[in-house]
Amino acid sequence: AADDDTIRIGFISPRTGPLASFGKTDGFVLTQARQALANGMTVGGKHYQVEIIDRDSQSDPARASQLAKELINQDVDLMLAISTPEVINPVADASEAAGIPFMSTVMPWEAWYYGRGAKPGEESPFKWTYHFGFGAGEFYKTYISQWSLIDTNKKVGVMYPNDADGNAIRAVLAPRLAKAGYTVIDPGAYETGTSDFSSQIALFKREGVDIINSFPIPPDFAAFWRQSAQQGLHRQIKIIQIAKTGLFPSDIEVLGSLGPKIASAAYWHKTFPYTSPLTGLSGEQLADMWETETGEQWTQQLGATLSLLDAGTEALKQANDPLSRTAVRDAISQLNVTTIGGQVDFTSGPVPNVASGPIIGAQWVKGTGQFKLDYVITENVTDPNVPVTHKLLQYNTK
Amino acid sequence: MILTPYSQLQATGIHKSFGSVQVLNGIDFSMDTNDAIGIVGPNGAGKSTLLSVLSGAQAPTSGQITLNNKDITRIPARERAKQGLVRTHQIPKPFSGITVFENVFVAAIHSATSSRETAYDIALESIKLCGMLPLANREADSIGLLDRKRLELARALATQPKLLFLDEIGGGLTDAEALQLVDTILTLRERGIGIVWIEHIVHILLRVVKTLICMDSGQIIAQGHPDDVMSNKQVMKAYMGGTDHAVGE
Amino acid sequence: MLSVSNLDVRYGQFRAVQGVSMEIAKGDVVSLIGANGAGKSTLLRAIAGALPIHSGRLLFKQQEITNTSSSSRVQQGLSLVPEGRRLFSDMTVEENLLLGSTVKRSGDWNIERIFSTFPNLVKRRHAKTGNLSGGEQQATAIGRALMSNPDFLILDEVSLGLSPLVVNQVYDSMESLKDAGTTILLVEQDLERAMRFSKRTICMLEGRVVLDKLTSDTNKEEITQAYFGLHQSSKQEVS
Amino acid sequence: MMNSLVQAILLGGYYALVACGLAFMFQVMRIINLAHGSLAILSAYLVWEITDALALSPFVSVLMILPIMAIIGLLLQRVILERATKGGELLPVLTTFGLAIVIDNLLFQQFGANTRSLSPYLGDLSWESYEIFGLWIGKLPVIVLITAIVVIGGLDLILRFTPLGRQIRATAFDPDTAGLVGIDARKIAGISAAIAMMTVAISGTALGLRGTFDAYAGGPQLLFAFEATIIGGASSLWGVFLGGIILAIAQSIGALIHPQGFLLGGHFMFLIFLFARIYFNRDVFTLKHWFAKRNKGEITA
Amino acid sequence: MKIKRSNAYSKVTLYVVAAVFIALILLPSFASNNVMERLTVLFIYIIMAAMWNTLAGFGGLISIGQQLFFGLGAYATIRITNMAISPFVALLIAACLVGLLSWPISTFMLRLKAGEFAIGMWVLASIGHLLVNLDPLIQGETGISLIALNQYAIESRRLLIYFAALVSMSGLLLGLFYLLRSKAGIAMQAIRDNEEAADSIGVDAEKVKKWFFIFAAFGTALAGALWLAQASSFQPKTYFSVQWTAYMIFMVLVGGLGRFEGAILGALLFFVVETWFAATGVWYLVGLGAVAMLCSLFFPKGIWGVIETRLSITLIPVGYQVTGLKPDSHSKNK
Ligand SMILES: Nc1ncnc2c1ncn2[C@@H]1O[C@H](COP(=O)(O)OP(=O)(O)OP(=O)(O)O)[C@@H](O)[C@H]1O
Ligand SMILES: Nc1ncnc2c1ncn2[C@@H]1O[C@H](COP(=O)(O)OP(=O)(O)OP(=O)(O)O)[C@@H](O)[C@H]1O
Ligand SMILES: [Mg+2]
Ligand SMILES: [Mg+2]
């Protein structure tokens, strides 16, 4: 950075546009982080001011890429990006190109790593960019664990779209499920924006699947599930397991009476038993603060965003010189800390540049408090520290 | 201007229908560069349609058209234009977004291909001949109806036609203006351009044409020396409505 | 019936009509004559409300109409057959005519009477006007204006594109309008015809009125003289 | 197979309903309205607001929205379209495109990122169905289909056989001349826009009932609507109904051939229709007249 | 009487353009990275605006599907680079290939009229998008990054992309200038105004339109390839987004449709607005929409159109002017 005692952190997320529900809580979390950093931080005995420069990608990858360049040219020392490939990948590429240390979370790491051109078995082509969080492997473990909670015929109908997440999951998850004794009924990748799913529904009915596993964007899922109900499929399904949609309460509320008992998986939950090294807040505290401040229900994005800021600031603290790009990069590559979202460990990732993170089995149930729905944890293989609070309910029972 | 060589057009058995409406009903027509032919006939007789078919804007339902003994029935208007067969439109179709000069220039440079300099000269001369020089730099969008008709003529001239088809370019002119138009057309005649002229103002038509054709209901009902045609009973009935006040004034 | 005072109409900076004044009484039949570009159409369109008036005043039946809309002028009984017909080309002849009776004014023009006045239209009744021959279109345009039973009919280039037979028919039917007391203002380039038909002749030159006389008080020469100046100045000004 | 066909027809009804406001503007008013989708979302939000606030059925709230949207249509005409249409066929494209961006983002500003749906307010009706001969026919899609028939049929009758319809068509074709004929062009144009917006209100409601929406959901609806409109052709508004159904069937066939063929199927069908029209039956089908230049500068044929 | 194709202003413009070009060539030696990157983006915007203007402004072909070529340009670059060809060579090959592909496309699409053409192109772009999604290399919507670029050092890479964009822009604008002043240029405008009449005087409308279409496709593809070069990640959804065409429409209409200067001015304005206001998020977008709307309502000929009529100046004349006439109160710019 230009003047010697200010560390600049760039932070890019989707605050407006179609992905805005991911970025909704970012303003709040950033305020917490800025408060915590108001007095700067001390690294290697030297005191620095810390400035977080946040930008809104407007859900537009082209814009994300431009913003990344703008921030790079403002001499940020560390770049952070969060939520979905549309935001993360362009920023990661720009950072890689410019040689700026970069960290991101909240997208399957396979789509991050392979999606940006890395080849399996080859050396990592990335020198500056790092990502932490769940991948298809975690989904596999979670699903096996979650689905064994209810007695089924082990026939799974899958709905994987032709997009980053869908493809990554299909490649890794489907063969492993088959190996674990599940019959995978895959109608094939469908195109996002499809508005009629009769052929898939017919197939699932014909095959008599008990479980449905899907990765669609929210509008597609709403269309699919309502149509399934119209065609009577919902009466045969014991577990409807969704990902990518159903992350936030509003996604499920719109389904009305079809919403409760849909199973989901969370990359963060307010009952995670960790505190944020940056703000000192626990998950419950963070969620409560949000709810009292805005009157809206907490979302898992609260913890995810804070965990990225946690990991980022920890890396800066551990760098020999937080203003040296190589030093920060080296610190990230050696990073092994506990954030509000759990452990982030780049020393033992599944591939270089990646640290895996948890995805916890959960379920949407009728709300008991002030909100229409509650989000409860039903299993915890990927992070046993997280307490299981509820039993998984079968979808097609009253 | 360049001397136009001899050219001969022949059409036989031309039929044209739009859906169930039979508009041309077996027309035989021939002309060459020495001809000056007038066409009259009641509204809707098919005169303009005949021009469209001859110039290639519309294909006949059946029949054959030859130019210098080569079959041109199926070749498009732009090819015919290059071979010297050009028409004006009854309802003017100017290129409204460009200037009058540019309207004419584009015709000059795209027909009997010439160098840019020659095209300039041809375009300017055509404009002058039609008395439109003062308007040369005006956007065609802003000129009045009669100027548009003149523009049609200027543009057609700039293609250096051998056979020129005029569709009601004299309507709405005052007598003095009409006489001027007649002068212009006679000039063209002198240059050896064959003319077909559709016009309802018969007395100005008769100052130019040597042959008159009268059409009705898609057929030629009379053809020959203007005086003979105009005194033909059928023509009187179908076209003039019994009185002859418009003739020969 | 119509009083025009000091009318100015402009296209941008260009004054197409300059300081024109005229009075037209009920039952008058006036022809407006002038060379190509004199501003006749512009004047008529301004009177009908299709062009905004830059300055000056218009009174119709003693009421100020300078700034009223064209449709309200039709409602008051002032109707224009525009130059170039301006039909609704993707509608049929019948529909075009019916549109003419949008304002319900009483009178004896109706669709059947139009068809008997222009028998050449009968066969094309349900054809789209875009596909009609030029003359059929002109007839439809006149018919459409008549459908509103106007007290004051303005016709721009009435006989343009019509065959002599139809021109006669049109004038015949206008004779009956004349007899019924309809006021008529028309642009007709056939001077003979215009003089025979009208009681008064107004001549325009470069946007100005240069002659306004009862037809009986003037002659062909005088009128030709009146716009001849234009030829001197506009046609031979260059080269 | 049979089931797919039935579902496709139901879906087609929905497309037709969504497209009919667009088709009305495209065919009759000669405006390519790129804000169609956004306006539909706007009405969906309005319906949602009223439904939520007054605890009404969405079917009732849509009735309350109709006059609001009609007024919006009137304003739209007076403030925007009136000027835009004077400048040729391209200007409305840009203006409505600008409008779409403004609406989307204002909606976002107002309602935030949450996805919404009207279906919860219908209770189970949103997914209940009739079971006939082993076919499952959703109640809601049937309602949508019938609404489409009623709306399109009604509009078609008005346009074709009433003086108002004639005046609407004439005004759209050439407002200046319409004035000379005695039509109060501004009033009529306002009425057309109001009618168009009322159909948009209905399509917005259908959209909200059938699935979810958020502030930016308008765009994707637009392309389907355009496809249905153009497949349907220019002859009458019924075309758009057929267009919607053909589009939906093509999509289903596409999906049967290849799972990713749903959208492709529809798109290819669209192109096939366009070209078939050009090659086989030029005179009957061409759309030349839709955009036959307004008489401005061109003396009407 | 003489025909003039230039005027006092245009001669000055010539010198200014030359000076600006030289300045832009020298610029990298003292400008900051940010300036260079932003200028690269500006050059790409100018290309896109000029290409859309070529089609719509001079040819009357309004396409809402130019993102087809933009996306294909980028996609082809990825594909070609994947064959171990230098990305900078790939840029050019890609644009040429897309230009080639646009030839059969034009044969079909140019038969469509007005609204059908516009929407047809949009649908075609959508088809292009879906088909590209099927390529295993692209991995569906996941996309891929042009990591081959990482072989260049960051500084030289920035410089190369800058020059690539500068040269492409200058080349395309120059080409466009000559095209418009040529026989084909005036013919295209005639076709735009009335195709039937153009045909009747011997203009081969089909051929002229085809060349314009291909030229615009080539230019737009080059813009897409350049965009990829400077952004490195390729996601089909982004590159085939209708938003690119929306930007083009915005730039051209705000700048001045059918005016050579208009497209450039529009691109500049859009760029400035984006640079200054984009950070305001929602309100920037609302503002952008509102500007587009207001501009189209109040300056339908675009800002350049206003300048042109108010001040009667043309900087880059492509028309013909007859001199030596008596002045006519009406004529366009003297
Ligand atoms: N495209 C078309 N579709 C249907 N009918 C048409 C078409 N073009 C012309 N017609 C009809 O063909 C007949 C002949 O038209 P045409 O224009 O040739 O007449 P015309 O002799 O030139 O008449 P006018 O003297 O009035 O110009 C008319 O009845 C007209 O309505
Ligand atoms: N839309 C327009 N924009 C600019 N100038 C125009 C426009 N319409 C007409 N003019 C000009 O206004 C003048 C008067 O035109 P107008 O049409 O009123 O003449 P006119 O007497 O009716 O002639 P004509 O006999 O040709 O119909 C002409 O110089 C014409 O070029
Ligand atoms: Mg004719
Ligand atoms: Mg006139």
Side-chain angles (χ1 to χ4, degrees), chain A residues 183-372:
Chain A
T183 318
V184 176
I185 313 289
D186 185 357
Y190 67 93
E191 205 59 62
T192 292
T194 301
S195 40
D196 179 83
F197 295 95
S198 332
S199 59
Q200 285 93 339
I201 293 170
L203 179 69
F204 294 159
K205 278 168 78 174
R206 199 161 55 239
E207 296 287 344
V209 302
D210 272 357
I211 305 170
I212 285 181
N213 179 212
S214 81
F215 270 72
I217 59 170
D220 285 0
F221 178 71
F224 165 71
W225 197 233
R226 189 162 300 122
Q227 219 182 354
S228 301
Q230 277 166 3
Q231 304 190 24
L233 176 65
H234 70 308
R235 287 183 216 154
Q236 112 192 19
I237 299 302
K238 294 184 175 163
I239 303 173
I240 165 81
Q241 179 79 51
I242 60 177
K244 195 161 156 183
T245 181
L247 297 176
F248 310 116
S250 65
D251 297 341
I252 299 297
E253 280 167 22
V254 298
L255 290 168
S257 60
L258 295 174
K261 290 189 287 194
I262 285 179
S264 162
Y267 40 81
W268 188 75
H269 192 280
K270 64 175 180 176
T271 58
F272 269 33
Y274 307 108
T275 46
S276 154
L278 176 61
T279 61
L281 293 171
S282 73
E284 296 279 3
Q285 282 169 326
L286 184 65
D288 289 346
M289 278 176 77
W290 163 261
E291 287 182 355
T292 42
E293 197 150 303
T294 65
E296 293 192 50
Q297 195 167 5
W298 70 276
T299 77
Q300 47 183 313
Q301 197 62 29
L302 281 168
T305 303
L306 188 52
S307 76
L308 181 64
L309 291 164
D310 280 343
T313 44
E314 283 306 303
L316 288 169
K317 279 186 197 147
Q318 289 172 19
N320 297 333
D321 173 2
L323 300 183
S324 149
R325 293 173 179 185
T326 41
V328 174
R329 190 264 318 269
D330 293 343
I332 296 175
S333 68
Q334 298 304 318
L335 196 67
N336 184 359
V337 294
T338 302
T339 69
I340 192 165
Q343 198 186 24
V344 174
D345 177 7
F346 282 107
T347 57
S348 64
V351 293
N353 303 69
V354 170
S356 53
I359 186 99
I360 301 291
Q363 188 171 35
W364 290 98
V365 294
K366 274 232 164 57
T368 51
Q370 72 183 108
F371 300 107
K372 283 185 190 154

Side-chain angles (χ1 to χ4, degrees), chain A residues 66 69 97, chain E residues 28 36-41 43-44 47 87-88 91 146 148-150 152-169 222-232:
Chain A
Q66 294 306 307
K69 289 192 174 175
Chain E
M36 276 174 61
E37 277 169 9
R38 292 302 294 159
L39 278 178
T40 309
V41 169
F43 298 157
I44 299 176
I47 296 179
F88 291 98
L91 288 183
L146 194 64
L149 273 176
N150 291 352
Y152 297 90
I154 175 79
E155 293 298 329
S156 57
R157 168 177 170 173
R158 189 179 291 127
L159 202 65
L160 279 172
I161 297 174
Y162 174 85
F163 279 117
L166 177 61
V167 169
S168 307
M169 175 192 73
L222 197 55
L226 287 166
W227 190 271
L228 173 70
Q230 61 94 39
S232 24

Side-chain angles (χ1 to χ4, degrees), chain A residues 99-184:
Chain A
I100 300 288
F102 168 91
M103 216 189 301
S104 58
T105 187
V106 186
M107 71 178 271
W109 65 258
E110 288 89 349
W112 182 91
Y113 188 72
Y114 301 116
R116 290 171 54 227
K119 301 256 154 59
E122 286 178 20
E123 198 186 329
S124 165
F126 308 123
K127 300 192 189 71
W128 298 93
T129 50
Y130 293 83
H131 177 86
F132 67 88
F134 53 88
E138 284 73 34
F139 274 112
Y140 165 74
K141 285 188 211 149
T142 301
Y143 288 169
I144 295 288
S145 140
Q146 176 109 321
W147 299 345
S148 63
L149 299 172
I150 286 176
D151 193 27
T152 65
N153 64 3
K154 290 200 157 190
K155 278 194 173 176
V156 192
V158 300
M159 290 280 294
Y160 301 148
N162 183 30
D163 66 7
D165 305 334
N167 288 324
I169 294 295
R170 167 175 286 103
V172 184
L173 194 61
R176 288 223 219 155
L177 285 177
K179 224 175 261 167
Y182 286 86
T183 318
V184 176

Side-chain angles (χ1 to χ4, degrees), chain A residues 86-98:
Chain A
E86 280 86 347
V87 182
I88 296 175
N89 282 0
V91 181
D93 285 341
S95 306
E96 184 71 44

Side-chain angles (χ1 to χ4, degrees), chain B residues 43-44 46-49 90 167-168 198 200, chain C residues 132-135 161:
Chain B
N43 297 119
K47 305 179 296 294
S48 301
T49 309
Q90 179 175 7
D167 197 350
E168 289 193 34
I198 299 178
H200 288 303
Chain C
L132 297 186
S133 82

